[in-house]
Amino acid sequence: MDPLILSFALVNGLLIGGIYGGVALGLSLIFGVMRVVNFAHGSLLMLALYAAFWLQALAGIDPYASVVVTVPLLFAVGFLIQSVVIAPLIRRESALVVEPLSALLLTAGVYLVIDNLALMAFGPDVRSASTGLALAPLMLGPIPVNSQRLIAFSAAILAAILLSLWLRSTRLGRAIRATAQNRDAAALSGIDVPLIYAVTFGIGAALLGLFGSLLATFIPISPQVGLSFGIRSFIVVVLGGIGSIPGSIVGGLVIGVFEALASQFVPATSAAILSLGLFVLILLVRPSGLMGRA
Amino acid sequence: MTTSLSRRTALARGALALTAMALAAPAQAQTQPQAEIPVGWVLPLSGGSAAIGQQARAGVQIAVEQINAAGGIKALNGAKLKLVFADSQSKPDIGVSETERLIQRENVAVMSGAFNSAVTFPATEVAERYKTPWIVMGAVKDEITERNFKYVFRINNKATYDAREQLDAMDLLKKETGQGPKTLAIFYEGSDWGRSHAANVRKLAKERGYTLVLDEAAPPNQVDFSAQLLKIRAARPDALIAAFYTPDHLLLSRQLLEQQLNLPYGVHSVGGGTEDPSFYKAISPKAVAYYFVQEDRQVDALQGARLPEFTDVETKFKAQLGYDMSAYGAQGFAVMYVIKDALERARSADRQALRDAVAATDITAGPALYAGYQRIKFDEQGQNTFAHGAISQNLNGQRRTVWPAESRSPETKPAWPVPAFGARS
Amino acid sequence: MTTAHPGRPRRPFVPLPDETPTLSLGAAAPRRPHGARAAGAAVLGAILLGGLAAAALPLVVQDAYFLHSCIVVLFFAYMATAWNFVCGYVGQLSIGHAMFAGVGGYATVLLFTGLGLSPWLGMPVGGLLAALLSVVVGYPTFRLRGPYFALTTIAFAEMIRIWVENTDSVLGIPLNGAAGLTVPLRGESLAALQFNGKAPYYWVIVALLVGALAATWWLERSKLGFYLKAIRGDRDAAESLGISPARYQLVALAISAFMTGIGGGFYAQFFRYVNAERLIGVDLSIDMALMSIIGGQGTVFGPLLGAVLLAPLAEITRGSLGGSLLGLHIVVYGIILMLAVLYLPKGLIAPLRAVLARAGLGGGRR
């Protein structure tokens, strides 16, 4: 196996893996704080992609500039979904920690509704956005690195760092962490738990808003695009450790590199089976993930 | 003590029975001359193939508008055609159930659809059992017209034709210029369509003396083909045969351009994404320059007179969907005219008579040839042996037919071999 | 932020309502008071009588499409009941159950085309193979809880689906990859389980459903069911009393997989075409789970109720809305799911049960 080809594969794997990690950040956060497995995670990314697309198609806004709109927009969507759809479930089950299975089913319903409303509203055709920025590939030696992916990768790393810092140093961030550790104690210390939940969900969605804008230029946009990202995000989050922000990035990188390298030796279809197998193995052997505390 | 529970169960079942019977439309008497002839269509109107289902539906609806506006079926006193659509959701069991419903409840005179081979295959068997004619649209699985069925007909290509045409085009250009590819790579989506196409290519390539240097499947809905492109680059094929649906084809084409992967004799796409008009809206022309596309329709149709029906459908199609006519819109349109032709000859909407009329179809002119065939005639298995696609090359932003030679416009000069990325303007 | 360990639930021991298992050493199934035993017999009676009544339907209604629709509904009811057999009583969410249907369906077809084995035998053999798979999959997976269990079942099912789609033949057995397998037409043949009319298929599925309901009824009353309830209530306490969760869960899973496998075989015979995407795909798993949950998991009739309501609803919305607005019927489905999860967590059967309990004709145990 040509070492140049392998290193090319490695670089690609890192890039796409970092992107997966960034996309999965929101899922990790939401699960870590609320114990809700958000089945609609991919659907929200799909909405963000469409938002970026329509902003360009209708208002001529470059996808990179549209971040200013998509992030708050998706925050609002996430906030709303939590307050309106999921909060009643948590209220009902307030005697126990929310039954994670009901939340999974509920968010599955959300996924079905969002994906198919998108199909109805936007039609089934595949769309794509393009950026006005002329970005030549960055050359790492002989290896061309696609600039758009590099930007998304950098954004993922940056977002993870900023999010970690924010959670640690701001009052709101600390409140979120407190709620994650012990909801009842947090409530007793005066934290408005339902608000925290809504904000957390909003932040998780807002992160997707960011990536929707960044990915719109090179990911084909269709109503179905959400599901595969959603499943990938689960794998990443489990691999990296539920609720661990750096874990999300690490998990993403591991998956990305693994698939990229494996695809050199076996067809991508078999590599997909291997990824799933890896996922199962991690769950059985080290369920807390790579960066979670056992 | 048993009464309450058993009564509940019985009540539940009774309610179900009553509800279902209430929903059942009364069967139309079939003896009186019908003012409306119901035509059933099973299409994927949701799910992954929804775009194509929508295109086909548009073509079908416009054709029926035209036919009804022109006076309906003259042999039946101007009876109008009435369309009944059903969503298969691309699932075989739903396609089968919907077929049952259309045949039994809606009493359709003829069925059509269903694009997805996995749906069409079992659903046509239902039609065969109920002795209802079915004219296949879109599905390429060979076995659909290899079962000795009497009621199933197909106007479009079988899967084997598609593969054969791709290689025929290469052979033709090789003959004309003295140069051609010796090694091929096939890269395809890993489900039914991609794999069956790859299997056909493999077989034919062997027969015709091509060497396959890469034979790779990819799962659908990828976000990155870098890994596979590396493999293709390492294998150095002379030409690449690709079979992907729209999202993956978009990604592939973009990344081929980005990575400046040169293929001396070009990319040969067997449709899927590259016959989807929305694909061309979403991709930069640079990425598809010089692409060879096999599709079931000639984009720059030369044959025969340019009928007013064609202009009409193209305008309305574009108005409805926002992009130009697609192969599946054209096929849907064509099938409706085949049905009209058969109804006129059968002089009856009775299924058996209609079936016999369809079997005797021999169309050499008219709107039914919109899909680009020169003739529609079904063999004993129900296959239109005159079905063929066309291979076009994307030259200066336009798709120009290069194969068959008779369909090539004299102005079209195929680029063979295909210029490298560095040499392109 | 703490990480949730997937192997340990964090909630305190709160017995689920309706189930207050009294654990004792040397646990034997508790003796039931007379009233409950009679109610139990009533349920069994209902199942059998209901089955007979249902079987009489084709004698009254001949309409082929109506029978076809009933068969589809009963098929899903059967699959949901089979799913509920393990998931309703163990309290886990399996979204990969379709892999058992796939194994059963493929085995039935391959045994028929390869060895000429009648589906009457092929279906149980397929069921056994599915049960075997379930033990292999379940043994490591049952250690996980909640969503982790669910995600793992999806992962296993997807691995199998992708593998089947990519494999043309293995060990000489033609799997045909993504193209799927067809059951060769034999016309009217009892031995080949193929019929020209709908009624025989209908009777087969009614018989299968009655069997599944009866099995669930038996489960509720058996030692196995008792142990499962204990494990569901508090796994650690049960374990400390010597009840091995793994063993009993696996038994329940194997039986459930066996039934699901037979269901896959029936699907193969009825539609005469199987492919990995439909029969091993996640959509089928979700259908099975949803019908059971919305109807009321952990009960005998819940899944049947769920199927009877959801399957025709899906068909009706598809029929009236599917042709016009893309995907609208699935939106409706999703909304119903959300409403059910929020407002009817115990399933639609809960209000019915409450009514019956108030009338003093409890079908459950106190």
Side-chain angles (χ1 to χ4, degrees), chain C residues 201-224:
Chain C
Y201 290 110
Y202 178 83
W203 286 318
V204 171
I205 194 64
V206 166
L208 286 175
L209 181 59
V210 166
L213 289 170
T216 314
W217 170 87
W218 165 81
L219 178 70
E220 279 203 342
R221 267 144 200 82
S222 70
K223 213 151 120 172
L224 175 64

Side-chain angles (χ1 to χ4, degrees), chain A residues 4-6 8-9 12-13 16 20 116 119 123-129 137 144 146 148-149 216-222 224-225 228-229 232 259-260 262-269 272, chain B residues 45-52 54-55 190 195 216-228 230-231 233-234 246-248 250-251 254-255 258-259 276 278-279 281-283 321 323:
Chain A
L4 182 65
I5 301 249
L6 272 181
F8 200 168
N12 280 321
I16 201 73
Y20 287 149
N116 286 283
L119 179 63
D125 298 314
V126 178
R127 321 277 189 160
S128 87
N146 176 268
Q148 291 160 356
R149 285 163 200 267
T217 53
F218 59 92
I219 300 287
I221 304 172
S222 74
Q224 292 94 36
V225 73
S228 53
F229 268 107
R232 271 274 160 56
E259 280 187 354
S263 297
Q264 290 306 307
F265 300 100
V266 296
T269 40
Chain B
L45 296 171
S46 64
S49 309
I52 291 171
Q54 222 186 11
Q55 291 163 12
R195 281 183 190 278
E216 176 112 353
N221 294 317
Q222 290 290 295
V223 295
D224 186 22
F225 278 129
S226 304
Q228 292 94 331
L230 279 176
K231 280 172 141 172
R233 191 187 283 269
T246 310
D248 289 310
L250 215 50
L251 191 64
R254 278 216 191 100
Q255 291 195 290
E258 257 166 40
Q259 305 200 1
D276 181 356
S278 63
F279 171 84
K281 272 186 117 180
I283 197 149
L321 295 177
Y323 45 72

Side-chain angles (χ1 to χ4, degrees), chain B residues 374-387:
Chain B
Q374 281 70 36
R375 190 171 175 191
I376 298 181
K377 186 164 169 16
F378 302 109
D379 67 6
E380 348 57 73
Q381 293 276 8
Q383 176 65 40
N384 173 19
T385 43
F386 295 92

Side-chain angles (χ1 to χ4, degrees), chain B residues 18 43 82 93 104 130 134-135 177 187 199 277 338 399 413 420:
Chain B
L18 282 171
L43 287 172
K82 181 178 97 143
D93 50 301
Q104 306 264 8
Y130 287 121
W134 182 308
I135 304 189
T177 62
F187 187 36
V338 169
R399 278 135 77 197
K413 305 264 173 290

Side-chain angles (χ1 to χ4, degrees), chain B residues 207-282:
Chain B
E207 285 170 19
R208 300 194 188 192
Y210 291 99
T211 318
L212 283 179
V213 295
L214 182 105
D215 184 344
E216 176 112 353
N221 294 317
Q222 290 290 295
V223 295
D224 186 22
F225 278 129
S226 304
Q228 292 94 331
L229 290 179
L230 279 176
K231 280 172 141 172
I232 294 175
R233 191 187 283 269
R236 301 167 160 282
D238 290 330
L240 172 69
I241 295 182
F244 284 104
Y245 291 114
T246 310
D248 289 310
H249 222 309
L250 215 50
L251 191 64
L252 174 67
S253 305
R254 278 216 191 100
Q255 291 195 290
L256 279 170
L257 174 67
E258 257 166 40
Q259 305 200 1
Q260 308 262 297
L261 214 166
N262 282 314
L263 296 151
Y265 291 97
V267 176
H268 296 252
S269 170
V270 64
T274 47
E275 56 184 347
D276 181 356
S278 63
F279 171 84
Y280 293 97
K281 272 186 117 180

